Amino acid sequence: MDILRRLFGRSRERSEAAPVETLIVNAYATVRDLPPLDFPHELFGRRDLSDPELAPHLEGFIGYVMGRGDGQMTASRYHLWRHLQRVRNHVSVEVVTVDLDDVEAWANAANAVLFLPDGSVRAPDMKVVISAEGESDPAAVLPYPPDAVARRARTLDRLQEMEPKPPAAMPPAIGEAELVLRRPGDVLRRALALLYVAAHGQAHATGGEPIAAGQPACNPVGLDALTPRETGQVRAVAAEDAFAMTWRYEAANTLFWALGIDAARIAESDRLIDVDALWRSVAALASDGSASGELRLRPSGEILDALDRVWREHWIVRQARQKDLRLESLNGDVVAERHVALNWLTRFQNGHETAWDDIDTPT
């Protein structure tokens, strides 16, 4: 880091000591709980997602990153974009350049990238992820939580026989230190709303009446949890929407699985759920929302295993469709519904209360 110290340090007097070289660093950390700033520093500012100004700041920063150089999506730019989407804490400090090794250790623990006065974004070891001119150091490696890296390796091993094969360079999904799950009661209401939507799509597609899951008297909790868009869909089902609405059974199944409902399973990615069996297992919850207080989400590690897997499976599905390849052990619609459900559950986009209708599933 000697070159960096010479290039970006500035002199500052400290009491009667000799001048020291200092550097202003803005750190963007993805961890839920920021580790202590255990290195010499002067704090200029610190905020998390409870600050309403952080979200628009991050959007602007993402725009800055995407606008560097020719703006073309490269591997470095994509990985950095994914990182910034997950930022939960922003810290601005002035540090003495001789302490940069300590800053590196802290940034690794915080899973943070660093923005410097020269307009560059850097990895914890100060290698350039992207410069103000859009250039990247091939040796720069973004930080990822160790459990997320290990999870990616397990997923790739599980999917090693798949074609097209997901690239090893795809980033890991989030780690446990970054995770803030939705509340069990909110998950239950969302799952029951999805059942309600799917039942109306099925009824329109078959020309019959909705099954119990789509009847107000049997599923009042789900009816009450509909988004405005879903309310419009069930009131006037458009022919072109009916089939897509039916697939919401799979998204509902994923959320019920996260709640530990026995009839909800996601072990295989090419099998449709048994809707009748699933409904029988949750019908009592659909009529009495107060029972949700007894529900608990699965362990975080299990949910993150599922998220990492479905993200890579969705990549496979999209690549196969682009190349007109046949998939033997994946149902693309099942995978897509699981992906949107897990992205919502794990607060994929910046940790905000993003509405269900606005959840994205980039691969």
Side-chain angles (χ1 to χ4, degrees), residues 153-161 266-268 309 313:
R154 293 195 300 272
T155 303
L156 290 173
D157 185 63
R158 174 175 180 156
L159 301 177
Q160 63 180 328
E161 302 301 326
I266 62 169
E268 305 298 331
R309 186 187 98 201
E313 287 179 339

Side-chain angles (χ1 to χ4, degrees), residues 275-347:
V275 175
D276 293 334
L278 182 62
W279 171 248
R280 287 194 298 269
S281 68
V282 300
L285 296 170
S287 60
D288 181 13
S290 63
S292 66
E294 302 175 5
L295 294 174
R296 297 290 182 272
L297 290 167
R298 288 179 178 272
S300 296
E302 293 183 24
I303 292 173
L304 290 176
D305 285 348
L307 174 65
D308 194 88
R309 186 187 98 201
V310 78
W311 180 35
R312 293 174 213 286
E313 287 179 339
H314 206 176
W315 181 92
I316 294 170
V317 168
R318 285 173 168 163
Q319 289 294 308
R321 286 176 175 169
Q322 290 178 13
K323 299 175 181 178
D324 198 25
L325 300 175
R326 180 183 177 85
L327 288 174
E328 298 293 341
S329 57
L330 293 179
N331 182 306
D333 293 302
V334 170
V335 169
E337 293 297 323
R338 289 180 181 178
H339 195 185
V340 70
L342 289 169
N343 274 4
W344 177 84
L345 174 64
T346 57
R347 303 172 190 259

Side-chain angles (χ1 to χ4, degrees), residues 188-203:
L188 174 65
R189 287 185 285 275
R190 176 88 307 257
L192 290 170
L194 292 168
L195 284 185
Y196 198 95
V197 169
H200 278 263
Q202 179 185 12

Side-chain angles (χ1 to χ4, degrees), residues 10-23 39-44 93-99:
R10 66 184 180 89
S11 296
R12 186 177 72 183
E13 297 286 348
R14 284 191 173 179
S15 64
E16 298 179 357
V20 294
E21 299 299 319
T22 64
L23 180 68
F39 52 86
H41 68 278
E42 180 179 346
L43 182 65
F44 292 157
V93 294
E94 185 177 38
V95 299
V96 179
T97 55
V98 295
D99 294 324

Side-chain angles (χ1 to χ4, degrees), residues 196 199-200 209-220 223 279:
Y196 198 95
H200 278 263
E209 291 296 317
I211 63 172
Q215 296 177 13
C218 299
N219 189 2
L223 172 61
W279 171 248

